Amino acid sequence: MFEAIKSLFSGGKEPEAPPSDDAPADPELQRGVAGLLVEAARADGDYAPVEIARVDAALQALFDVTETAAADLRAQAEDAQARANDLYGFTREAKALAPADKIQFIERLWDVVLADGARDAYEDALVRRVCGLIHVDDQDSGAARRRVTERRSLGGPGAEANADAG
């Protein structure tokens, strides 16, 4: 999914072999995305277990990693996010994603934000800021939020988070 970003980090050199779908995503990209997901989960001041589970699920889906690898990545992101002064260090990597990958990431961000069943002004502001920094417009973000909300109401992925929050 994130093949385009990998080519940006090759320094303009052609890879010796074409990248495979099994190749791991760039570690810096993973850390940046994980940091933003953790920031979203913590934005309302309540870092609930359901949000932690949604961060892990997002990392598994976005980077095709194991449950253990996702939890390790989240733990690293928690440390990095606690030390961060701003979002730039995290958004720098996500900004280079292909447009479709950015939308998929924003959907996962909304999934984390909505995991506790409530929208908070701080969470909304964070998503809007992230979207601005990675160049995703408000319409695409709103559509991503509606897709997440719709999946939850239909019992799709993430619906269990609403039941737990409820």
Side-chain angles (χ1 to χ4, degrees):
M1 150 182 35
F2 290 92
E3 296 301 319
I5 190 70
K6 292 177 194 174
S7 67
L8 292 174
F9 292 102
S10 67
K13 299 175 187 169
E14 290 296 317
E16 292 179 18
S20 75
D21 288 337
D22 296 333
D26 177 70
E28 290 298 315
L29 173 63
Q30 288 182 344
R31 282 190 286 273
V33 166
L36 290 168
L37 291 167
V38 168
E39 180 78 25
R42 289 179 168 171
D44 64 358
D46 181 25
Y47 193 39
V50 68
E51 293 169 314
I52 293 168
R54 296 314 304 156
V55 169
D56 287 356
L59 293 171
Q60 285 180 266
L62 291 170
F63 299 116
D64 193 28
V65 297
T66 66
E67 194 173 322
T68 302
D72 289 344
L73 185 55
R74 176 189 33 84
Q76 293 171 21
E78 289 168 346
D79 291 339
Q81 188 272 337
R83 292 188 314 269
N85 294 328
D86 58 28
L87 295 176
Y88 178 75
F90 300 124
T91 59
R92 179 179 56 234
E93 303 301 329
K95 187 187 314 187
L97 291 170
D101 293 337
K102 288 179 184 180
I103 299 301
Q104 186 177 17
F105 164 63
I106 294 300
E107 270 191 48
R108 293 297 178 164
L109 200 63
W110 276 115
D111 189 45
V112 169
V113 163
L114 298 172
D116 60 4
R119 281 182 63 185
D120 179 86
Y122 292 111
E123 293 169 327
D124 283 350
L126 173 76
V127 174
R128 180 170 249 173
R129 242 173 65 211
V130 169
C131 286
L133 290 169
I134 68 170
H135 309 294
V136 171
D137 66 36
D138 287 342
Q139 286 180 322
D140 287 336
S141 175
R145 184 189 70 243
R146 285 188 297 278
R147 285 190 297 273
V148 169
T149 303
E150 194 172 292
R151 274 194 305 270
R152 288 168 175 274
S153 69
L154 296 174
E160 70 284 353
N162 272 353
D164 293 344

